[in-house]
Amino acid sequence: MKQNISKNIEQQLTPKCEFRASDNLMRKVMSSAAANADSAIEKNHRFHWKPVFATLASAAAAIALLFVVIPGGTPAIAAEKLFAHAAEFFNSISGYSVEFESRTLTNDNFEYVNPSKSFVKHRMDVCSDGRWKLDKVGRVALSDGNNIFVWFPDQHWGRKFDLDRIGTIYPFNNLLDLGGLMAWIEDYAAGLDDADCRRSEDEQTIKLSIKTAAQGDLSNDYAKYSSIAESDTRQTYVFSKTDGRLLSAEIEAKFLCFYRTIMKFNSIEYNANIAESDLIAPAGIEWLDQTKEGIARMEKELPVGEFIGISPEEAVEKLAKAFKTWDEPMLKVILNGYPLTSLKSNGYFGCELTVTGKTFKSGTYNGVFVPCKIKLTNGGKRKVNLALSNDTLWGLWEVNGGI
């Protein structure tokens, strides 16, 4: 009997959504201090964690002068010295490495979590000059100071972005500024209607304990439990009181009447020895150019207008026709984040795609889901919810997930 109960709980825990997208959520939750940092990123097209921390520290100091009190915590004026010590500490180190685990899939979006999955190890290396690398075996992201690269080592393809596309690694972009993390967390919690953020401290540490309610439109619960934001969470962060270092972090997601850990930090090494060879994009990868330059080139060379000013259902109909005849110019527009060579060899060449249900929204995704059935030419059959959004530069529909 016990085994059956356990099995049922695991089945219920499994989110119905395997797709995650992250760019838009970051823009929604960033508070005023982090927004200032984003402004600096946009202008400079580089991300240096030291200047960004300075922006956050200045904002925190200004807030401290108003004697703002975090619910259940201490006056912010008491934090002013901590930010000063943190600035001094982080300006003196060469970089750091963070090792943590998340319940997810090795090759899915970094934002994606699933309470029923096993833990997957992650490693984040950050250099003081702004370069970084995030690795979870099946998906790797890297900034070499000129571009951001995200690739799938076992599939030999990846995407190339401009430096300001830091949302590609959300929510772990916040690990690029450990010095300003405490201020970001408190501001993040303050910006959520149902968040309860409490601060407690002893002689050596400051602990932030936060409870958050699932965000987004969950009238359809397809996306529930598929990210931290779309889950009811209990989050705990512990910082050094002397220099502002992050010492530990754990995030739990609530399901029914209990919490389950979905993310935990294992170790943080400051002044880590990061090899130069680890900060170079690998050879032998088919790169999809999603930089501003690459998108501008796509606008000139491809039928972008075919997917502008139409409904998502019409966009899927055009995708179905393009699959059937393998119309590469059309496919390159609506599937610009996918390698056509891989899709072609995996049964999508000439496949049949039909809409099977009504379009719906779910969670924080700034797009829609269209239920579809795909009959592949290699004999495979798939029932999917295609994720489409049109929040691009020209408002054209693109597939973000489900393929």
Side-chain angles (χ1 to χ4, degrees), residues 41 98 101 169 212 250:
I41 298 168
V98 184
E101 295 177 282
I169 61 167
T212 66
E250 181 178 16

Side-chain angles (χ1 to χ4, degrees), residues 80-270:
E80 188 174 359
K81 290 183 179 179
L82 175 63
F83 283 109
H85 289 312
E88 183 179 346
F89 172 77
F90 280 93
N91 278 322
S92 68
I93 65 173
S94 59
Y96 50 83
S97 295
V98 184
E99 293 189 357
F100 59 99
E101 295 177 282
S102 175
R103 292 189 187 276
T104 185
L105 297 173
T106 56
N107 61 352
D108 215 306
N109 283 343
F110 289 111
E111 185 183 2
Y112 176 71
V113 296
N114 185 323
S116 71
K117 299 298 182 183
S118 300
F119 280 110
V120 172
K121 291 183 178 180
H122 294 59
R123 181 185 174 94
M124 183 94 175
D125 293 320
V126 181
C127 296
S128 59
D129 62 5
R131 293 177 299 162
W132 52 263
K133 183 178 182 180
L134 176 58
D135 190 342
K136 67 166 181 172
V137 184
R139 178 184 287 244
V140 186
L142 175 150
S143 170
D144 65 357
N146 296 306
N147 290 101
I148 293 175
F149 299 88
V150 180
W151 71 95
F152 307 87
D154 57 338
Q155 299 175 37
H156 307 292
W157 71 275
R159 303 176 180 119
K160 177 183 176 183
F161 301 96
D162 293 312
L163 284 178
D164 58 2
R165 290 291 299 278
I166 203 68
T168 56
I169 61 167
Y170 185 86
F172 304 124
N173 56 299
N174 295 305
L175 297 183
L176 296 174
D177 179 31
L178 286 185
L181 187 60
M182 186 188 301
W184 186 89
I185 291 170
E186 292 184 329
D187 287 342
Y188 165 78
L192 299 178
D193 292 337
D194 299 321
D196 179 12
C197 179
R198 298 180 181 275
R199 172 188 274 198
S200 59
E201 53 186 271
D202 56 28
E203 291 183 358
Q204 296 181 328
T205 64
I206 294 175
K207 181 169 75 172
L208 295 182
S209 302
I210 306 170
K211 284 187 177 181
T212 66
Q215 301 168 48
D217 179 0
L218 293 171
S219 52
N220 183 312
D221 67 355
Y222 176 68
K224 192 161 188 185
Y225 307 117
S226 61
S227 75
I228 294 171
E230 289 149 331
S231 305
D232 299 317
T233 68
R234 186 167 63 189
Q235 306 179 27
T236 306
Y237 305 89
V238 179
F239 298 86
S240 166
K241 200 170 182 178
T242 57
D243 52 27
R245 287 178 300 128
L246 177 67
L247 301 177
S248 67
E250 181 178 16
I251 299 176
E252 303 165 283
K254 187 178 183 181
F255 177 78
L256 297 179
C257 58
F258 68 91
Y259 282 91
R260 191 176 206 200
T261 299
I262 56 172
M263 193 174 297
K264 58 183 178 180
F265 281 37
N266 294 330
S267 66
I268 305 173
E269 181 185 356
Y270 296 97

Side-chain angles (χ1 to χ4, degrees), residues 56-73:
L56 289 167
S58 298
I63 293 171
L65 294 177
L66 299 176
F67 294 89
V68 176
V69 179
I70 299 297

